[in-house]
Amino acid sequence: MEVRNRVVVSPMDMYSARDGTPNELHLIHLGARALGGAGLLVTEMTCVSPEARISLGCTGMYRDEHEAAWRGITEAVHRWSPAKICLQLGHSGAKGSTKLMWEGNEEPLESGQWEVIAPSPIAFRDGMQVPREMTRRDMDTVREQFVRATRMGAAAGFDMIELHCAHGYLLSSFITPVSNRRRDNYGGSLENRMRFPLEVLSATRAAWPDNRPISVRVSATDWTHDGITGDEAVQIARALHAAGADIIHVSAGQTSARAKPVYGRMFQTPLSDRIRNEGHVPTIAVGNITEADQVNAIIAAGRADLCALARSHLADPNWTLHAAAQLGYRDQWWPVQYQSGKEQLERMLSRQKEMELQGTSTI
Ligand SMILES: Cc1cc2nc3c(=O)[nH]c(=O)nc-3n(C[C@H](O)[C@H](O)[C@H](O)COP(=O)(O)O)c2cc1C
């Protein structure tokens, strides 16, 4: 798969679906960002079964109408822009059955809760549901749900899929010892903790067309004293790469309520750097990357292959168009319908630069 540039619209849950079906909001949201020039769009975490949803507003890929609705979105993106579109697939695990983000993030539903499952019966935080410990039969069911969603994603015209193995959701909660206390073949050593996520990845890879890539999003540190560290993340990335992941999307944290994250500009990029340069695995960097110079520096220094921006794309769907104009890159693709906007912006920015230069020369 070839992308037009290395800017990625990071996955962002819109909490706006009903019964898992994406609607006009998802079309407008992803459509605006496709016209906004990013090379790759990643959908929000799209859930593989009704129980896999975080909230009642999450999108799904488990009913025929989901596939049809998603096909409408991929066709619109492909018809009107050169952007590629990736379907992020996930299962919420112990973090499921909660309210919409703006009604109470990580707060359980007041009524109509469904049973949640996880590797071990540990609530994500106080007040959240204690999940039921998964049996081997549950693992078979969940694996097959991922396979079904993958096939539907291929039929719906997605260019790529991303398995969500980060942020304490089901697959992530197997990988990290913070939430996986199993004493069988699926807990304990890293090899054991990786067994079920790798099984899902292998099954997914077999169901996904050979010529389309798969990404896996990981939390490369738990930000706790007893969790995953950057060292282990390199091994995790290698194992996923060997099992068929083409690229690792390097996020961090949200796996433990006890975490002490260290925020800052581009704060997760060092983790991507290690996975790419020590592990020799292609990566997507993400996390507080906000400026064009940061994207260019990360790529030019070989710290990642692609850069994902989330909140910056909420503030500005046309982030890539604006960044290109600021850098004086005239060959940036703009929608043909928007050409006069491109010319005006470029003219304004070069006049601004001239005035700044004149200003400094007269001082
Ligand atoms: C509103 C919102 C929803 C998000 N939903 C998802 C999601 O569905 N899947 C996911 O992997 N990350 C999700 N994230 C995390 C972002 O993809 C990204 O990793 C994070 O916001 C850090 O990037 P930023 O500093 O550019 O915002 C979400 C973030 C926001 C702000």
Side-chain angles (χ1 to χ4, degrees):
M1 187 181 86
E2 205 166 292
V3 284
R4 192 127 185 157
N5 58 59
R6 291 164 189 266
V7 179
V8 178
V9 175
S10 202
M12 281 182 281
D13 200 339
M14 294 287 107
Y15 299 93
S16 298
R18 187 178 283 189
D19 295 328
T21 311
N23 54 39
E24 303 93 325
L25 185 278
H26 303 89
L27 174 65
I28 298 168
H29 169 70
L30 291 163
R33 281 143 193 89
L35 296 183
L40 176 65
L41 317 172
V42 185
T43 69
E44 65 191 68
M45 175 169 125
T46 295
C47 307
V48 297
S49 69
E51 303 76 32
R53 290 176 298 171
I54 305 167
S55 73
L56 291 171
C58 292
T59 52
M61 193 58 118
Y62 50 87
R63 280 169 37 171
D64 291 346
E65 51 267 43
H66 299 163
E67 183 185 311
W70 278 120
R71 191 179 311 115
I73 293 172
T74 64
E75 283 177 0
V77 166
H78 290 145
R79 186 170 306 131
W80 297 107
S81 85
K84 302 291 188 210
I85 179 163
C86 169
L87 172 66
Q88 188 186 62
L89 289 176
H91 189 303
S92 54
K95 293 174 96 174
S97 192
T98 59
K99 295 181 184 172
L100 306 183
M101 182 177 59
W102 49 86
E103 291 178 353
N105 201 21
E106 293 179 354
E107 283 179 23
L109 289 173
E110 267 151 35
S111 62
Q113 279 195 40
W114 59 89
E115 180 186 58
V116 301
I117 53 172
S120 302
I122 303 169
F124 182 72
R125 64 164 81 244
D126 288 348
M128 284 179 81
Q129 215 185 116
V130 177
R132 179 170 65 73
E133 180 174 305
M134 284 173 76
T135 62
R136 180 58 242 189
R137 214 166 142 172
D138 292 321
M139 292 184 214
D140 292 342
T141 304
V142 169
R143 185 196 59 227
E144 290 316 305
Q145 289 168 344
F146 271 96
V147 167
R148 174 183 61 190
T150 299
R151 293 216 173 94
M152 291 170 82
F158 283 98
D159 301 293
M160 176 174 174
I161 53 170
E162 176 167 281
L163 282 192
H164 198 342
C165 293
H167 302 168
Y169 297 113
L170 186 71
L171 297 176
S172 158
S173 68
F174 269 88
I175 300 175
T176 169
V178 168
S179 46
N180 182 346
R181 304 279 163 77
R182 294 179 77 99
R183 291 171 179 275
D184 60 5
N185 287 340
Y186 302 94
S189 65
L190 179 61
E191 191 187 350
N192 279 358
R193 288 183 275 122
M194 289 296 291
R195 196 179 307 281
F196 180 58
L198 288 174
E199 184 184 320
V200 172
L201 173 59
S202 300
T204 303
R205 179 72 270 181
W208 184 243
D210 284 345
N211 60 347
R212 297 191 215 174
I214 297 188
S215 161
V216 177
R217 193 171 230 215
V218 297
S219 284
T221 173
D222 289 320
W223 304 117
T224 63
H225 67 277
D226 54 354
I228 291 169
T229 60
D231 285 336
E232 228 178 14
V234 175
Q235 296 175 54
I236 292 168
R238 277 192 166 151
L240 292 166
H241 189 46
D246 298 284
I247 197 160
I248 303 297
H249 196 161
V250 188
S251 189
Q254 297 175 56
T255 50
S256 164
R258 291 183 284 107
K260 300 248 180 301
V262 184
Y263 294 119
R265 284 180 296 164
M266 306 180 280
F267 70 114
Q268 293 167 171
T269 300
L271 298 158
S272 160
D273 192 338
R274 283 196 66 178
I275 290 174
R276 189 170 190 274
N277 292 300
E278 281 176 39
H280 306 291
V281 176
T283 61
I284 306 175
V286 65
N288 228 359
I289 302 169
T290 56
E291 289 166 26
D293 284 344
Q294 294 172 342
V295 172
N296 281 342
I298 291 168
I299 300 297
R303 308 184 78 195
D305 296 272
L306 301 170
C307 285
L309 289 73
R311 290 164 297 169
S312 297
H313 274 118
L314 294 182
D316 182 3
N318 294 333
W319 189 92
T320 303
L321 303 185
H322 291 159
Q326 263 161 17
L327 295 173
Y329 177 62
R330 299 276 163 117
D331 291 339
Q332 169 63 41
W333 173 88
W334 278 60
V336 66
Q337 299 85 348
Y338 292 5
Q339 281 304 313
S340 57
K342 175 178 193 280
E343 287 152 21
Q344 186 193 46
L345 179 64
E346 288 172 350
R347 230 181 4 255
M348 273 166 44
L349 288 170
S350 67
R351 206 172 296 154
Q352 209 171 312
K353 211 174 260 172
E354 255 169 47
M355 281 166 67
E356 278 167 14
L357 282 176
Q358 278 172 7
T360 43
S361 61
T362 51
I363 283 170

